[in-house]
Amino acid sequence: MNKLISAACLALLGAAAMPALAAGQNADPAAQPAPETKPGTSTKAAPSSAPVAQVNVTGSRANDTDQRRLSTAAKMVFGREELDRNGDTSVGDILKRLPGVTMGGPPGRGGGGAVRMRGLGNGYTQVLINGERPPPGFSIESLPPEQVERIEVMRGPVAEHSTQAIAGTINIVLREGYRQKEIQLRAGDNVSAGQHSPNLSLSLPGQSGNLSWLMNVNAMAGRTRSDSDSYVREEDLAGNVTREQNIHTGVESRTRGMFLSPRLSYKFDNGDTLTFQPFVGINRNDNGSDTFIDHLGGTRPAEYARLRTGSESESQFVRAMGNWLHKMDGGAKLDMKLSGGASRNDSDSLRYTSDAAGATLRTFNDVDNSRNSNLTHSGKYTAPMGKGHLLALGWDLEGARLKQVHVAESDGGALFEDSGANLQASTRRLALFAQDEWDITERWSMYLGLRWEGIRTSSTGSASEVSNTSRVWSPVVHTVWRIPGFEKDQLRASLTQSYRAAPLNDMIASPSFATYNARVSPDRSGNPDLKPELARGIDLAYEHYLGKSGILSASGFIRKVDNLIRRVITERQTSQGLRYLSSPRNIGSARTSGIELEAKFQLAELVANSPDIDFRSNYSRFWSSVEGIPGPNNRLDGQAEQTANVGLDYRMKGRPLTLGGSYNWTPAVLVQTSALEASQAGVKRQVDLYGLWKFSATTQLRLSVNNLLAEDYVTARYYAAPNGFVTTRAHTDPTYGLRFEMKL
């Protein structure tokens, strides 16, 4: 029976993935499965004799799979093996290969786009660092993969963590010292479009008595070059062309950064553990762009023929995380965390416009200085209530402050009335939760959770004064049933309520000025009256485990979202004349659903005397509709219709060589964002390959090629009444990487 189920699931997945592979020449629908998960919940032993899987895993395939199988609220864990496989230098490049995760933006640009689960980003997908929300201004693009111990991917929210996870949660856990025994050195270089990006990392573990430590150091430098071509056409209400242009933009960037992440852990004689982990990062970017405009016609005269921009930015951040785990009588535990951090970001941008003869017309200067600080405290008390029954109570407190100065000048004068104003904002968050995990029978486990979370945001400054308060209750139910007579089969179900808080910048942001103001390129500002989006959801999943590390799964989900936030373009009168302005609003409700398939296995576990091949694949199909917007393309903003991944690793017998590759496909999608506006994202096809040669047990060399196809990425925006559109074709390049790894 199990073999029949396995064959059926494999056939289903193969049939679903075939259109994606055949679509090498078309641009249409396919998607990627989103993993089911739960961030910090303990993985209790299943009612079988299998040993308890410890939450902190090192990344072996078996341990990762056991984590998933034993958890009541499913959690997919990807350890060092997965993180090291392709020799990536960006966490974004790793995430795009994980089931159910996609990256926005052009292919081959790592963390350059938003992280998306189930095709949804922009706050629908929650990203955590060590189980906590990262500080304001932090970007995973600045986090080297060498600093990461494992990545946990979760579809459903749990009470223990913030339920700001309508699409799901990705928890990035930093390196842990007591697992590592050797000094590890990695040195490499990546080359794209003739530009080099060298990187170096060093991990130094140590132990003295009850004290253990790990020092992680990473230094990197990089140069990138990219270019794009756009076509713009605008009409007035009578149908007359007001602007028609071809635009070419070339960009060159230079990045330097250094990151330190030491970790200290002390184990007391009574079993208590005290951990301290600071994280320090410095990053500097210099960018230059040159835009040439070919004015093809139109009644509106061309404002300029060339735009040159030079910008530089520097960010520094420090964050310290402390954790005390106290063991109590009867198996109870008290887990308390205290963390705090500060960051500063300074940027300066200077833009020049000139005519066809090269004479300067206008200059624009934008200066941003921001300072962020935050302090968080959380605690969780867990106590066994009997065999297979665990109760937890906890709290989260967070306070954050932002100080920002934004100067926008045109030809030396203020661009806006509030240009140069000081903006100060603060956010206070309080959350209380309770959760109960219970093995009701040998076959049936249940998770019940309830979380209350309140957020208060306030700001002062001549730009605006904001006071916004939101309070959300989030009941959560997860259950798993292990099918009698089929030891490797189980069913999952979840009922959840989650939400998406209005982003701080969407509530308090001062206007940003577009050099050429039009419906296709409006100014942008915030809205202090935004409400959080609320979502109720159902998840169902079937899982069949193969061998030690394989799995076949099929799942489906539904989400109903209220108070949906969308940006709306309006007209406003300013000292510069009539201008178009984009600002966010709550516009109504939406509904999204999807199916997700996954298959991964080691061929040798299924077929005797077969090559040593690991196979992995996933496919997802998503639907969504937004109330009040005409169809048929009234989807949630930016959500793909489909996505698929296929990959394999081949370990050659008798040779210390491993070869592998992956294919990622997301088809083009058109989204109607309002009755008069639409946006389109083009097809993305990406092939990544790697080879690994092991000289010895401690020394190896890795060669990789990312974005081998190097296809252009096309996006478009359309407007009506009056009509207008802009299409952009971003050119991409393959990235060749070489990395030497040694353990001492």
Side-chain angles (χ1 to χ4, degrees), residues 55-59 64 77-84 130 143-152 171-180 184 214 216 263 277:
V55 170
N56 296 324
V57 297
T58 58
D64 293 350
V77 181
F78 302 91
R80 287 307 313 174
E81 180 181 2
E82 181 74 29
L83 304 184
D84 288 335
N130 282 357
L143 183 64
E146 290 80 12
Q147 302 281 359
V148 179
E149 178 70 19
R150 66 183 185 275
I151 296 176
E152 301 170 347
N171 184 28
I172 300 173
V173 181
L174 301 181
R175 294 301 291 267
E176 300 172 344
Y178 59 87
R179 290 283 180 183
Q180 185 175 316
Q184 296 183 1
L214 175 66
N216 292 300
R263 186 181 191 277
Q277 185 171 21

Side-chain angles (χ1 to χ4, degrees), residues 70-90:
L70 296 175
S71 179
T72 305
K75 172 165 58 183
M76 302 178 67
V77 181
F78 302 91
R80 287 307 313 174
E81 180 181 2
E82 181 74 29
L83 304 184
D84 288 335
R85 175 177 286 126
N86 285 71
D88 298 311
T89 57
S90 164

Side-chain angles (χ1 to χ4, degrees), residues 169-368:
T169 298
I170 297 173
N171 184 28
I172 300 173
V173 181
L174 301 181
R175 294 301 291 267
E176 300 172 344
Y178 59 87
R179 290 283 180 183
Q180 185 175 316
K181 304 299 182 184
E182 314 93 347
I183 297 174
Q184 296 183 1
L185 173 67
R186 295 179 174 90
D189 188 20
N190 289 274
V191 182
S192 180
Q195 305 297 302
H196 290 262
S197 299
N199 58 86
L200 177 69
S201 70
L202 182 65
S203 297
L204 300 168
Q207 185 168 354
S208 177
N210 292 343
L211 177 66
S212 63
W213 62 86
L214 175 66
M215 169 63 79
N216 292 300
V217 182
N218 182 276
M220 52 80 68
R223 291 179 179 272
T224 60
R225 180 182 297 160
S226 62
D227 65 293
S228 63
D229 292 287
S230 300
Y231 174 74
V232 180
R233 180 184 173 92
E234 295 176 344
E235 299 176 356
D236 59 21
L237 292 174
N240 301 312
V241 176
T242 57
R243 179 168 68 131
E244 187 176 12
Q245 296 174 337
N246 283 326
I247 303 173
H248 176 80
T249 300
V251 180
E252 292 191 5
S253 302
R254 182 188 179 198
T255 302
R256 290 90 72 202
M258 177 170 285
F259 306 89
L260 294 89
S261 178
R263 186 181 191 277
L264 301 171
S265 181
Y266 187 85
K267 189 170 184 178
F268 295 90
D269 293 337
N270 64 353
D272 287 6
T273 302
L274 183 63
T275 303
F276 177 67
Q277 185 171 21
F279 186 70
V280 181
I282 301 173
N283 200 61
R284 181 178 177 84
N285 294 279
D286 298 311
N287 299 283
S289 67
D290 209 349
T291 299
F292 295 89
I293 299 178
D294 182 12
H295 190 68
L296 304 178
T299 58
R300 180 176 175 178
E303 295 189 7
Y304 56 89
R306 185 180 182 185
L307 169 65
R308 289 170 294 160
T309 301
S311 65
E312 58 183 33
S313 63
E314 183 172 331
S315 62
Q316 305 168 10
F317 61 88
V318 58
R319 186 167 180 81
M321 294 168 277
N323 183 198
W324 175 49
L325 180 61
H326 174 56
K327 296 184 178 180
M328 308 170 73
D329 294 338
K333 295 180 182 179
L334 180 61
D335 190 354
M336 299 183 67
K337 297 179 181 180
L338 179 65
S339 62
S343 66
R344 57 179 295 168
N345 296 273
D346 301 306
S347 64
D348 190 346
S349 173
L350 190 59
R351 293 172 286 164
Y352 301 89
T353 61
S354 56
D355 59 21
T360 299
L361 299 175
R362 299 184 66 183
T363 61
F364 302 87
N365 186 29
D366 291 278
V367 179
D368 275 292

Side-chain angles (χ1 to χ4, degrees), residues 56-73:
N56 296 324
V57 297
T58 58
S60 73
R61 288 188 300 271
N63 283 343
D64 293 350
T65 304
D66 286 344
Q67 285 272 350
R68 178 173 183 171
R69 180 173 58 86
L70 296 175
S71 179
T72 305

